[in-house]
Structures are given as C-alpha cells and as structure tokens.
Amino acid sequence: GKEYKVYHYATHERTVVKKLMETYPRDGNEPIDEFLSKMVDLQREVVNRVVLPTLGYGLKEVSKYIGFKYTDEDPGGAQSIAWFEKYQEDYRANAELKERILTYNREDCEATKAVHDWLTGRTSGKVG
C-alpha cells in the first residue's frame, strides 16, 4: 500500500467510517481496514504532547489558541447541523446557508491542518 496518513480531529470521522462498514458490509474490507489504520486523531496527539491554557481540547478551542480564526464568531458542529436542517426545509429560500455550511466545513479542515502544522513545529518527531 501507499504511504499516507489521514489526519482528523476527535473520534467522529473514525466512528462514521466504522458505521458505514456496518451499514454496507462487504467481503474483504482490506482497503477500508488499511484506510482506518492510516487515520491519525490529532486531538489525541495534542492531549498527549502539550498542555494548553484552554477550557478544553476541542478543535475550536485549540485552533483559536494557536491563532486560527473562523468566519463565524461562534462556530460549532451542532450549529452547522441546525443550519443544514434549515437549509433542507427550503433550499431556495435558505440558499445562503449552503455557503455558510461549506465555509464552516472548509474552515474545520483548515483548522485541522493548522493544528497539525503547529503541533509538528512544537514537538520533535513526526505526528502520528
């Protein structure tokens, strides 16, 4: 297999992949098993490597501490779900929510990369 890592923050992504495996079972899960083995939870890396003056070690708190800024003042997973549900009620009337959701998700990815880069620069050795 190719050498790669899949960086994510917290356990949600890994849980979703496992749930999909249960929902759509197939003979021979080798590619998915390999994918799971390449996943690196950056939250676990942060918790194990550094002590931060934050209330918690969620992505929003840690990324804010290192200087990352979200477009929305109070972004959060629950908030983005509420936006999506409202968008689905009437996607034409609530079209602006689509961009807000896409921005939120893109910024979560950017925050994850920012935390990875920060952590790599602060600690010796590879992350993951």
Side-chain angles (χ1 to χ4, degrees):
K2 295 181 180 179
E3 283 304 311
Y4 65 92
K5 295 283 184 190
V6 179
Y7 295 102
H8 59 97
Y9 205 91
T11 59
H12 177 74
E13 284 77 8
R14 186 178 197 84
T15 301
V16 168
V17 171
K18 287 184 174 185
K19 189 173 283 190
L20 287 169
M21 289 173 69
E22 292 171 11
T23 304
Y24 304 102
R26 42 185 299 214
D27 293 333
N29 280 325
E30 293 84 14
I32 297 173
D33 290 337
E34 179 181 347
F35 183 81
L36 282 168
S37 76
K38 304 292 186 178
M39 293 180 81
V40 178
D41 181 354
L42 288 177
Q43 184 178 45
R44 178 177 287 169
E45 297 283 335
V46 169
V47 168
N48 288 338
R49 293 172 183 243
V50 295
V51 176
L52 301 176
T54 58
L55 292 176
Y57 284 84
L59 179 60
K60 306 304 179 292
E61 292 149 310
V62 172
S63 63
K64 181 179 178 182
Y65 173 76
I66 65 169
F68 185 85
K69 291 185 174 42
Y70 281 81
T71 301
D72 270 288
E73 286 185 27
D74 188 24
Q79 181 64 57
S80 69
I81 291 168
W83 294 336
F84 186 67
E85 288 174 354
K86 186 168 177 63
Y87 170 73
Q88 285 184 310
E89 287 172 11
D90 187 342
Y91 65 90
R92 287 193 180 116
N94 299 314
E96 80 286 348
L97 286 176
K98 180 179 177 183
E99 284 308 312
R100 198 170 186 184
I101 293 163
L102 291 172
T103 296
Y104 168 79
N105 285 320
R106 185 186 74 249
E107 289 176 351
D108 256 1
C109 293
E110 292 168 353
T112 300
K113 183 177 185 327
V115 170
H116 171 269
D117 293 348
W118 175 82
L119 192 60
T120 300
R122 292 211 24 108
T123 61
S124 59
K126 294 192 302 187
V127 175

